[in-house]
Amino acid sequence: AGLKLLLKEDIVPFKADPLLFTLGPIIVSIPVFLSYLIVPFGQNLAIANLGTAIFLWIALSSIQPIGLLMSGYASNNKYSLLGGLRAAAQSISYEIPLALAVLAVVMMSNSLSTLDIVQQQSGYGILGWNVWRQPVGFAIFCIAALAECERLPFDLPEAEEELIAGYQTEYSGMKFALYYLASYVNLVLSALLVSVLYLGGWNFPIPVEAIAGLLGVSETTPWLQVLTASLGITMTILKAYLLVFTAILIRWTVPRVRIDQLLNLGWKFLLPVALVNLLLTAALKLAFPIAFGG
C-alpha cells in the first residue's frame, strides 16, 4: 500500500490553494516525529534528555490542529472544510484535559523530564507505577489520546458516512500517505507515553533488587546490568504494544459517537474531572509528601 501511494499521481484540485494544500500534511506529520525525541526506550536511552520534555511535547502537539484546519480550508471542498473544523475543535477539546492529566504526574515527579518520571516510579516494582497513584489521570489520558489520534469512537473528522474522508478527501499520493502515517505514528507515540508516564517505562513488575536476590548476585554485576537494560527496552515496547492492541480492539468493537457527544465529553466531563484531579493531587502531595513525591 505504501509503494502504491508513493507511485500514485499527486493531484492538486484546480481551485485549491496549492501552498496551504501542500503545507497541511507536512505541518501535521513533523510534530509527531519530533515528539519521539523525548521518549526514553530504556534507562539513559533517549534521543534527547531534556529537562522540559513534557512541555516540549505539549507544545508540539498543539501545532497539529493548525495543519488539519489548513488542509480542510485549502482543499476548497465543503466536506474537507467540515472535517478540518471538526479536527481542530476535537484536538482543542481534548488537549486541555490531556495536559492537565500529565501535569498531575509532573507534580508528583517534581520534574518535566521523562527520564526522571520513569526513575521516580522505580524501586517498588508494579506498586510504584503512577497508574496506582493517578488512576483518574490514567483514564483521562487514555481517552484523550484516542481522541487526539482520531481513533474510533472519536474519528469524527474523517467519518466516512458523513464527510467521505473529511480533510483527506481531496488528497492523493504521498500527501494522503502522510496523514495515515502521522495517525499511526501518533498512536504508537501515545502508547509509549502512557507506558512512560503511568506504567513505569522500562521498569519491571518485580523490583531489580528482588530479581538480584533470587539469583543470588549483586545488583552491580555486569551481566545482570546488561540483562536488565536489554529487558528494560523490551518492557517499554511490550507495554506500548499492549496499549496499541487495545486501541485497535476498541476500533473494531465500539461504535462512533456523535460530534455533540464528543465535545460534551471533552468540555463538560473530562475537563472538570482533570481539574479536580490536579487540585486533589496538589492537596495530597502537601498532606502526604512521601507517598506523592513531595
Side-chain angles (χ1 to χ4, degrees):
L3 182 61
K4 176 187 173 184
L5 288 171
L6 182 64
L7 297 174
K8 284 195 77 164
E9 181 183 358
D10 180 19
I11 300 169
V12 178
F14 178 67
K15 292 188 178 181
D17 187 316
L19 178 60
L20 297 182
F21 190 81
T22 304
L23 283 176
I26 296 171
I27 292 174
V28 169
S29 56
I30 286 178
V32 178
F33 289 102
L34 287 177
S35 297
Y36 277 84
L37 289 171
I38 66 160
V39 177
F41 289 89
Q43 194 165 10
N44 299 321
L45 190 63
I47 299 172
N49 182 15
L50 301 174
T52 56
I54 297 297
F55 181 77
L56 174 65
W57 170 62
I58 292 172
L60 286 171
S61 65
S62 65
I63 297 172
Q64 275 189 296
I66 300 171
L68 298 172
L69 191 58
M70 190 182 294
S71 302
Y73 169 78
S75 296
N76 194 35
N77 180 304
K78 61 181 178 182
Y79 299 110
S80 299
L81 180 59
L82 285 171
L85 290 171
R86 279 188 178 186
Q90 180 170 319
S91 296
I92 294 166
S93 301
Y94 284 84
E95 198 170 302
I96 301 170
L98 187 72
L100 291 173
V102 174
L103 285 176
V105 174
V106 168
M107 189 182 292
M108 290 195 308
S109 305
N110 297 315
S111 176
L112 286 163
S113 168
T114 47
L115 285 168
D116 291 345
I117 290 171
V118 177
Q119 199 64 49
Q120 183 259 346
Q121 298 176 72
S122 62
Y124 300 98
I126 194 171
L127 297 177
W129 295 357
N130 283 333
V131 67
W132 306 116
R133 293 184 292 176
Q134 280 291 318
V136 176
F138 173 74
I140 292 170
F141 191 100
C142 289
I143 294 169
L146 279 177
E148 284 278 302
C149 297
E150 296 172 12
R151 307 288 300 179
L152 269 166
F154 306 117
D155 66 335
L156 273 299
E158 52 187 78
E160 297 88 351
E161 296 86 350
E162 302 169 29
L163 303 178
I164 306 174
Y167 55 83
Q168 306 173 25
T169 302
E170 299 291 352
Y171 281 90
S172 62
M174 276 310 295
K175 290 175 186 172
F176 181 77
L178 275 176
Y179 280 119
Y180 266 81
L181 183 64
S183 174
Y184 281 96
V185 169
N186 199 16
L187 177 62
V188 174
L189 172 69
S190 299
L192 285 167
L193 286 171
V194 172
S195 170
V196 166
L197 296 173
Y198 294 99
L199 302 180
W202 63 78
N203 291 312
F204 300 93
I206 302 172
V208 177
E209 296 86 353
I211 296 172
L214 289 171
L215 296 173
V217 295
S218 171
E219 295 175 40
T220 57
T221 306
W223 67 265
L224 181 62
Q225 288 183 331
V226 172
L227 180 64
T228 52
S230 302
L231 290 177
I233 301 169
T234 307
M235 287 300 300
T236 304
I237 295 172
L238 181 62
K239 291 169 186 175
Y241 171 81
L242 291 174
L243 291 163
V244 170
F245 176 80
T246 304
I248 293 171
L249 187 66
I250 290 171
R251 179 182 178 86
W252 296 111
T253 53
V254 179
R256 180 185 296 122
V257 298
R258 297 195 314 266
I259 185 67
D260 60 314
Q261 293 172 331
L262 177 134
L263 295 177
N264 284 338
L265 177 65
W267 289 108
K268 295 182 180 179
F269 181 75
L270 289 183
L271 180 58
V273 170
L275 279 169
V276 170
N277 180 61
L278 185 63
L279 293 173
L280 189 61
T281 301
L284 290 172
K285 184 181 169 79
L286 290 173
F288 308 101
I290 296 175
F292 283 84

